[in-house]
Amino acid sequence: MNAISIVIGSICILLIVYRLYGTFMAAKVLKLNESKPTPAQKLEDGQDYVPTNKWVVFGHHFAAIAAAGPLVGPILAAQFGYLPGLLWLLIGAVIGGAVHDMVVLFASMRRDGKSLSEVAKEELGPVAGFCTGLAMLFIITITMAGLSMVVLGALERNPWGTFAVGITIPIAMGVGLYHKKTGNLKLATTVGFALIMAAILWGPNIQGTWLGDLLTLEKSTLALILPIYAFFAAALPVWLLLAPRDYLSTFMKIGVFAALIVGVFIVNPEVQFPAFTEFINGGGPVVAGPVWPFISITIACGAISGFHAFVGSGTTPKMISRWSDIKGVAFGAMLVECLVAIMALIAAISLQPGDYFAINSSPEKFATLGMETVDLNELEEKVGMDLEGRTGGAVTLAVGMTHIFTAVPFFAKLASYFYQFVILFEAVFILTAIDSGTRVARYLIQDFLGDFIKPLKRTDSLGANIFASALACFVWGYLLFSGDISSVWALFGVSNQLMASIGLIIGATVVLKIAEKRWYMLTCLIPLAYLFVTVNVAGYWMVKNVYFNADNAGFSVLNGILSITMLILGLVIMVTSINKWINLWKIPQHVLVEQSKREVA
């Protein structure tokens, strides 16, 4: 098996799906049209509701959803072999993820860009709305901690990477200010991207200087800095930091993976992993559980991800200026993310299995596997860093991509630069999800707690915004500071896919109410049935075998209680929804469609 066949087959499948299934969803299921203004046009306030160029919206949305999941998930799931991850990515993205993202974004825009908890309250009733809001607060907190954990592993004691990531903040703010003042997007983009590239090239010069020493940070320090950054990203106007940073990041990410696709065609690396490894029944050093249900938990973004529901009912619906842009922004971005995840998987499986497990396992755990490294020492010399025991997936992706590119003679002497560049774009992209996610958490806190503390409901209030942003950052920052990748990522995986199930439940309800044919509801019900069962099996397995097992290294009563709470909330939402569907089914479809139009008139 070689990488070219995987890439060509995947690209063909995704292009066909976008053209046929995406058009079907837009024209037949959701019936998108331009007869009404979008929430961004109707409620424009210059702060959150801002009509935005469709490419900037795509850049923001793609950068926000394509965070650690499509980079780290496939790499961690390579433990099971190359085939389970590849199949889940393609099937999950086509049947589940693209549909999920599209219906959630539509459902939010249909309700003036409201958060999914508010949409659930209006579509399913107060009980489902309350449970959705509570579940979303739990899930977004865990998600932010899980994503941030990956950044810690990449930037720990890495002054070059820390400098390159940090400098993107003032660059993005400069781009945002210039674009706001002049409207010249092309020049702002060109200068911003050039400055980021210059920072990467200049980065090695700081090593050994006072600045390099200042930026040589431990995980504990980084775990304090990240929530502070997220606070400002969540509280500042969206056009000043969040949107331009996401937009610039998208160029970097798509550019890197486009280059990787070209590199794969030039080098045509062999797949070093078998289709299935010995760990498909569980007991692996990276993911403890069996291939099912954990392939669908470990790989979230890239296939289907509940985090997308936060973005699709948070920042993005407040920025889209045309209803027809939903297809490209939601459905299209999900398929591009799937391709990114496939390329990340290729980067991992192009390494020798022994090298892969040495990087992704602790030295003590690797010693028990009976494996030998093959190219690890050579790789360490090329990138200029020790690689053993750098768990979390981010380093593996950087090493795998560097390994592929340095097979091209021109890049052979640039391995350290390319490694740091990949670390940069990973960290930058994860940070875009963190700042977007924290802003969404701010919306959720204001929506949910605002029912009890009325002043919090005012999104135009600086005090309310600051309080909600600070509370969000404090809670996920605590989990980040006190956790590790093995405990937080599994909890993130289960909670994230539970959120995707909730998104599909709401999507199915909206489709039932607006579609001309009731069987269109199956577009949401089929992925929902699989995902809901998978999430509950995985959650039960983790609670029984890890969180409440005192002999397991991941023993955590807090994580166990969080898991049980979220699963119960998911069950309540599902039961409430089924009851709602039964009542709606009794109404003739043409009557139901007319009622739904009056609801949002």
Side-chain angles (χ1 to χ4, degrees):
M1 171 68 73
N2 56 54
I4 285 181
S5 58
I6 295 176
V7 174
I8 292 177
S10 299
I11 290 175
C12 289
I13 290 170
L14 296 176
L15 286 174
I16 292 170
V17 166
Y18 180 78
R19 178 66 181 87
L20 299 181
Y21 198 31
T23 302
F24 168 74
M25 288 294 302
K28 297 294 186 180
V29 179
L30 301 182
K31 298 183 292 187
L32 301 181
N33 64 75
E34 308 296 345
S35 61
K36 295 193 303 180
T38 65
Q41 295 169 329
K42 184 166 61 173
L43 303 173
E44 182 176 0
D45 61 7
Q47 175 78 11
D48 295 313
Y49 289 87
V50 182
T52 307
N53 178 284
K54 67 178 180 180
W55 295 111
V56 176
V57 179
F58 177 89
H60 155 73
H61 184 81
F62 178 72
I65 66 171
L71 305 179
V72 174
I75 294 216
L76 300 181
Q79 169 195 274
F80 299 119
Y82 74 82
L83 192 56
L86 181 61
L87 290 176
W88 168 240
L89 282 168
L90 289 173
I91 297 171
V94 169
I95 304 298
V99 171
H100 168 274
D101 290 10
M102 198 170 183
V103 296
V104 166
L105 179 56
F106 175 80
S108 177
M109 289 180 64
R110 185 171 173 268
R111 296 288 184 175
D112 289 336
K114 292 179 180 177
S115 69
L116 207 60
S117 61
E118 292 293 301
V119 175
K121 185 187 299 181
E122 296 183 7
E123 298 289 356
L124 298 171
V127 174
F130 176 84
C131 290
T132 299
L134 192 56
M136 290 177 75
L137 285 174
F138 275 116
I139 292 166
I140 195 69
T141 300
I142 295 164
T143 299
M144 293 300 96
L147 296 177
S148 301
M149 195 67 67
V150 182
V151 179
L152 301 191
L155 299 184
E156 180 187 17
R157 300 189 305 277
N158 183 359
W160 184 358
T162 302
F163 168 76
V165 171
I167 203 69
T168 62
I169 297 172
I171 291 173
M173 294 180 73
V175 168
L177 285 168
Y178 182 81
H179 180 227
K180 181 75 171 177
K181 185 175 181 179
T182 67
N184 191 335
L185 182 61
K186 290 182 179 179
L187 182 59
T189 301
T190 303
V191 173
F193 192 72
L195 288 173
I196 291 174
M197 294 301 100
I200 297 168
L201 294 175
W202 191 76
N205 296 319
I206 73 168
Q207 298 186 98
T209 67
W210 67 269
L211 182 58
D213 294 339
L214 182 66
L215 295 177
T216 303
L217 304 174
E218 298 296 326
K219 280 187 177 181
S220 56
T221 306
L222 289 166
L224 293 174
I225 292 174
L226 286 180
I228 294 172
Y229 157 73
F231 165 77
F232 286 102
L236 290 172
V238 68
W239 57 264
L240 179 58
L241 175 57
L242 189 146
R245 196 169 188 278
D246 294 356
Y247 173 66
L248 290 174
S249 301
T250 295
F251 280 97
M252 188 182 301
K253 190 164 193 176
I254 292 178
V256 168
F257 276 96
L260 180 58
I261 292 172
V262 173
V264 166
F265 275 90
I266 295 173
V267 177
N268 191 19
E270 288 291 321
V271 173
Q272 304 294 340
F273 273 58
F276 300 96
T277 69
E278 62 192 276
F279 302 117
I280 59 170
N281 295 317
V286 183
V287 180
V291 66
W292 187 83
F294 283 94
I295 191 69
S296 301
I297 298 301
T298 306
I299 300 179
C301 302
I304 181 171
S305 168
F307 178 69
H308 297 191
F310 291 103
V311 181
S313 66
T315 51
T316 302
K318 299 174 177 65
M319 299 166 68
I320 288 182
S321 56
R322 289 171 57 88
W323 287 92
S324 57
D325 290 345
I326 290 177
K327 177 188 172 185
V329 170
F331 202 94
M334 179 65 245
L335 297 186
V336 174
E337 184 183 7
C338 175
L339 183 59
V340 168
I342 289 171
M343 298 310 299
L345 177 65
I346 288 173
I349 60 180
S350 67
L351 296 173
Q352 293 289 340
D355 298 340
Y356 165 87
F357 284 107
I359 296 171
N360 281 284
S361 311
S362 66
E364 297 78 18
K365 184 68 175 179
F366 181 71
T368 66
L369 300 179
M371 295 182 177
E372 297 291 334
T373 60
V374 179
D375 301 317
L376 189 63
N377 292 336
E378 181 184 348
L379 290 169
E380 288 181 332
E381 289 180 12
K382 284 182 178 180
V383 303
M385 292 189 68
D386 61 297
L387 299 174
E388 288 189 72
R390 286 188 175 261
T391 59
V395 169
T396 306
L397 175 61
V399 171
M401 292 181 67
T402 302
H403 178 62
I404 291 173
F405 269 95
T406 51
V408 180
F410 177 77
F411 289 105
K413 295 182 179 180
L414 300 175
S416 60
Y417 279 94
F418 194 80
Y419 173 84
Q420 290 294 351
F421 180 73
V422 177
I423 289 293
L424 165 69
F425 99 84
E426 286 183 277
V428 165
F429 250 70
I430 294 168
L431 287 178
T432 59
I434 291 170
D435 55 31
S436 297
T438 304
R439 196 177 190 91
V440 172
R442 190 199 98 195
Y443 297 153
L444 288 173
I445 288 171
Q446 290 181 271
D447 276 342
F448 189 76
L449 296 185
D451 290 334
F452 308 99
I453 308 172
K454 296 300 182 183
L456 275 181
K457 277 280 189 184
R458 293 185 55 196
T459 56
D460 60 342
S461 166
L462 180 63
N465 292 349
I466 289 175
F467 174 81
S469 299
L471 180 60
C473 292
F474 173 79
V475 175
W476 70 253
Y478 173 78
L479 275 181
L480 173 66
F481 192 80
S482 60
D484 60 64
I485 188 67
S486 61
S487 63
V488 174
W489 191 264
L491 185 62
F492 158 67
V494 172
S495 63
N496 186 54
Q497 299 303 58
L498 176 62
M499 188 66 241
S501 299
I502 296 171
L504 286 169
I505 288 172
I506 294 170
T509 307
V510 172
V511 170
L512 175 60
K513 294 169 71 173
I514 69 168
E516 294 178 356
K517 299 179 181 179
R518 287 182 169 175
W519 69 265
Y520 288 168
M521 191 182 179
L522 291 174
T523 57
C524 295
L525 291 183
I526 291 173
L528 171 61
Y530 170 80
L531 202 60
F532 193 76
V533 172
T534 299
V535 163
N536 281 275
V537 172
Y540 172 77
W541 193 96
M542 288 299 298
V543 169
K544 178 184 177 182
N545 296 291
V546 179
Y547 300 142
F548 286 170
N549 181 2
D551 296 328
N552 191 287
F555 173 75
S556 170
V557 174
L558 174 61
N559 286 356
I561 292 173
L562 286 174
S563 296
I564 292 172
T565 302
M566 289 186 298
L567 293 177
I568 291 173
L569 288 171
L571 183 61
V572 172
I573 295 168
M574 176 61 83
V575 171
T576 305
S577 302
I578 292 173
N579 184 59
K580 179 71 172 183
W581 297 338
I582 292 172
N583 291 331
L584 291 175
W585 203 271
K586 297 175 183 178
I587 303 172
Q589 190 62 20
H590 69 280
V591 176
L592 188 58
V593 170
E594 289 302 316
Q595 285 182 1
S596 69
K597 289 179 181 178
R598 290 194 294 271
E599 281 179 359
V600 296

